Structures are given as structure tokens and as C-alpha cells.
């Protein structure tokens, strides 16, 4: 029988499987994530940790948790986990790829359309009474047919966004990791041609602040930037400057650094910006499926098996 720490309430009944297997479950109840100290204190005696992307699994945490054999995150992104430290301690790491592809691709299109068709401004105008009449020149936006979408990151989610964009009559360009399985177009070419640039790469040392002053300077002045990957892929100071200077046409962000952004963060004062609260995978079906996979990974790790979705 093993002891597990689960860092939040999960949707669905997936934890029943852990209990049925005879494991003890310590579940963090507050709606806010545990602090680093709480995470450490509760993981110290655990054999398994089921965490979220809001929990930092650091080398220090791993060092102070001698019994830990498996870390299972309810996320596809593993940038919050020190994979090297886990490997050094023989701790298996699991994630939840695949099940959130469609939800994230749908959300990418929703954000793109919200920005291109100025929906948040329209909602606000109706609510605050500043919309007084149908106006031939009011809130004009960008239509998608025949526009070029540049997808940065040729993985599952990027491809699912490409499929959707083609349904809207868009031309799609892709740029993947140089030397990777789908390198696609050189990034600089994509940035020159794209009317909309959408980020679908994982956060790694190579992609941290990939979107910097130079990147933004290569985009067209009317082009829109969409980010549903990780906040740290974008240098937010450079983005705020580019929006203020009209160097790009707008940005739609599902992810920021930090999350949430403080209300007085200078980025929020930039024009033509839509920010939403990390909703990429936020559908009932997807979140339940993520929880199921996270528990399946945890169970496999506790039983000494290879995880169904093991991060290598
Ligand atoms: C993930 O799983 O990494 C997503 O960002 C959650 O929406």
C-alpha cells in the first residue's frame, strides 16, 4: 500500500481507483495551490505525487522526498517539473498528452476569432452603453478566409489548429523544431508571410522568450499573435512595446508569465490585447480525461510499471 499526495480536487471520480487499489490519498483541499513549503511538507512522506502545472516540482522537493517513485502531472506541459532531478532519483514522470488536443485547438480558434473580430470590445460596448447604433465603420476586424496562419510548433495541437484553420479557408504555414521530425518552413519566412502567428511549442530553454523584439519585428504590422502554449515563450516587455508601437496588429494570450498577471502589469495596458485565464484544456470532457490519465500514470508508477504516458 502506497501513500499519495494529490495537490488539488480533481474533476470526475478518478481518485476512487487509487483508493480501490488500497492506496492512501492525501488531497489538498483549498482551491489555491499549496505553497512551496506545503508542497514539500506533504510530499515528504509520499510514494506518489499527482500535481498540476501550478506546482513546481523542483530538485529541492525531489531531494526532500525519499520515498517518491512517481510524479504524475495533470498536464501535457512538463516545464514545471525538474526532469533531470527526477531522472537522477529514478522517479518516473507522467503527463497527459493527446486528450487535450481538440479542446486546446478549439480554444486557439476562439481566441483568434475573438481578437480578429474584436468580440471583447463589442461585449464591453454593449455592456457599458457606448454602442448606440449600427455603424458602417464600427469595430471592423480581420476576416479569416485567404489569410495566412503561421503555426510555430508542428506537434499534435499545431496540426489540430491547422485542420481547423483550413476549414476557415486559411492558408497554413508551419515551422517546427529545427532538426525535429517536422521542421517545416524557416521561422523567419513564416513570420514574414503570416497574418496570424499561433504558438504551439513546449516551453524549453530553446523556446523561452522565443517571441522577443526581433521575432515581433519580423511580423507584419497588421499581424496578430496568439499564444496558447506557455507564457514564458513570449517576452512580455517586448510584446507590450510592439503593441504600443503598432509593430504588430494585436495579441491574444491564453497563457502569461506569471499566471494570473497582476492587475497593474504594464502588459495589460497595451492596446489590441485579449487575455484569458489559461482555458486551453478547460472542457468537462477533457479535464475528466486528463484526471483519468494522471491517475492511471500514478497507479502504474506506484506498482512499478512503465507509465501509460511516461515523459522521457
Ligand atoms: C497543459 O496541460 O499543459 C495545458 O496547458 C493545460 O491547459
Amino acid at each position: 500500500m502506497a501513500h499519495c499526495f494529490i495537490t488539488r480536487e480533481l474533476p470526475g471520480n478518478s481518485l476512487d481507483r487509487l483508493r480501490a487499489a488500497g492506496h492512501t490519498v492525501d488531497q489538498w483541499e483549498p482551491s489555491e495551490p499549496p505553497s512551496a513549503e506545503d508542497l514539500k511538507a506533504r510530499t515528504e512522506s509520499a510514494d506518489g505525487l499527482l500535481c498540476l502545472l501550478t506546482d513546481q516540482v523542483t530538485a529541492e522537493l525531489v531531494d526532500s522526498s525519499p520515498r517518491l517513485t512517481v510524479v504524475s502531472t495533470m498536464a501535457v506541459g512538463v516545464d514545471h517539473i525538474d526532469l533531470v532531478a527526477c531522472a537522477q532519483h529514478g522517479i518516473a514522470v507522467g503527463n497527459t498528452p493527446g486528450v487535450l488536443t481538440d479542446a486546446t485547438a478549439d480554444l486557439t480558434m476562439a481566441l483568434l476569432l475573438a481578437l480578429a473580430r474584436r468580440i471583447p470590445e463589442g461585449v464591453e460596448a454593449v455592456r457599458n452603453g457606448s454602442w448606440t447604433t449600427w455603424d458602417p465603420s464600427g469595430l471592423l476586424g480581420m476576416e479569416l478566409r485567404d489569410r495566412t496562419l503561421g503555426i510555430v510548433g508542428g506537434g499534435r495541437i499545431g496540426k489540430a489548429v491547422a485542420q481547423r484553420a483550413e476549414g476557415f479557408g486559411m492558408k497554413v504555414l508551419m515551422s517546427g523544431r529545427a532538426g525535429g521530425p517536422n521542421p517545416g518552413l524557416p521561422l523567419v519566412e513564416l513570420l514574414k508571410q503570416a497574418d496570424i502567428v499561433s504558438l504551439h511549442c513546449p516551453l524549453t530553454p530553446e523556446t523561452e522568450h522565443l517571441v522577443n523584439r526581433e521575432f515581433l519585428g519580423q511580423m507584419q504590422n497588421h499581424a496578430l499573435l496568439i499564444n496558447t502554449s506557455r507564457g514564458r515563450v513570449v517576452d512580455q516587455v517586448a510584446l507590450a512595446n510592439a503593441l504600443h508601437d503598432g509593430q504588430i496588429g494585436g495579441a491574444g494570450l491564453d497563457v502569461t508569465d506569471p499566471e494570473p498577471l497582476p492587475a497593474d502589469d504594464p502588459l495589460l495596458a497595451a492596446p489590441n490585447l485579449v487575455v484569458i485565464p489559461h482555458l486551453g484544456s478547460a472542457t468537462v470532457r477533457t479535464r475528466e480525461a486528463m484526471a483519468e490519465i494522471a491517475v492511471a500514470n500514478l497507479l502504474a508508477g506506484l506498482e512499478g510499471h512503465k507509465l501509460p504516458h511516461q515523459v522521457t
Side-chain angles (χ1 to χ4, degrees):
M1 190 213 276
H3 176 65
C4 316
F5 179 43
I6 317 293
T7 64
R8 215 82 66 83
E9 281 210 4
L10 305 185
N13 307 318
S14 49
L15 291 184
D16 292 350
R17 289 175 60 203
L18 278 178
R19 296 190 181 99
H23 302 307
T24 57
V25 173
D26 172 22
Q27 189 167 20
W28 183 255
E29 279 173 3
S31 53
E32 296 296 315
S35 64
E37 293 72 38
D38 287 325
L39 184 60
K40 188 169 166 211
R42 304 277 279 264
T43 309
E44 247 164 21
S45 55
D47 304 284
L49 172 67
L50 195 160
C51 60
L52 308 186
L53 54 81
T54 45
D55 306 310
Q56 297 302 317
V57 180
T58 59
E60 194 194 333
L61 179 77
V62 166
D63 281 342
S64 64
S65 311
R67 296 169 56 111
L68 205 57
T69 55
V70 54
V71 172
S72 170
T73 183
M74 192 182 132
V76 65
V78 289
D79 46 277
H80 60 112
I81 300 175
D82 188 327
L83 296 177
V84 174
C86 286
Q88 280 166 351
H89 287 75
I91 297 170
V93 176
N95 69 343
T96 64
V99 288
L100 44 68
T101 301
D102 285 324
T104 308
D106 287 353
L107 194 276
T108 302
M109 295 309 290
L111 190 51
L112 196 170
L113 282 163
L115 182 68
R117 298 303 301 273
R118 307 179 62 179
I119 289 174
E121 289 166 82
V123 170
E124 183 55 23
V126 171
R127 282 193 184 280
N128 69 21
S130 65
W131 182 55
T132 53
T133 181
W134 188 91
D135 173 358
S137 311
L139 288 180
L140 304 188
M142 180 197 283
E143 217 164 289
L144 300 191
R145 174 163 299 281
D146 298 329
R147 293 289 186 168
T148 298
L149 174 67
I151 294 183
V152 180
R156 269 185 281 248
I157 298 176
K159 289 190 184 117
V161 171
Q163 254 181 9
R164 284 157 176 76
E166 278 160 6
F168 277 86
M170 302 182 81
K171 177 179 168 198
V172 176
L173 305 175
M174 279 220 188
S175 179
R177 190 163 47 87
N182 304 306
L185 198 67
L187 185 59
V188 57
E189 273 313 310
L190 177 145
L191 295 178
K192 256 195 244 158
Q193 295 181 41
D195 299 297
I196 296 150
V197 175
S198 191
L199 305 175
H200 299 288
C201 47
L203 174 64
T204 64
E206 291 75 42
T207 62
E208 181 158 11
H209 286 191
L210 172 74
V211 180
N212 55 15
R213 201 162 142 248
E214 195 189 347
F215 182 113
L216 293 160
Q218 285 161 343
M219 286 173 63
Q220 307 193 67
N221 291 143
H222 68 270
L224 307 177
L225 176 76
I226 306 293
N227 189 10
T228 56
S229 63
R230 283 291 183 266
R232 270 172 31 223
V233 174
V234 175
D235 173 346
Q236 290 175 177
V237 174
L239 176 61
N241 290 337
L243 290 168
H244 281 294
D245 298 349
Q247 197 172 38
I248 67 167
L253 309 178
D254 183 39
V255 288
T256 55
D257 177 31
E259 288 177 0
L261 280 181
D264 61 354
D265 190 290
L267 179 62
L268 292 176
N272 303 319
L273 176 73
V274 176
V275 185
I276 56 173
H278 204 145
L279 297 176
S281 62
T283 69
V284 176
R285 183 163 71 182
T286 289
R287 288 284 169 84
E288 287 187 359
M290 289 167 77
E292 286 292 336
I293 294 179
V295 168
N297 280 336
L298 191 69
L299 269 172
L302 293 174
E303 286 159 13
H305 302 310
K306 186 172 187 304
L307 316 192
H309 294 281
Q310 183 149 343
V311 179
T312 48

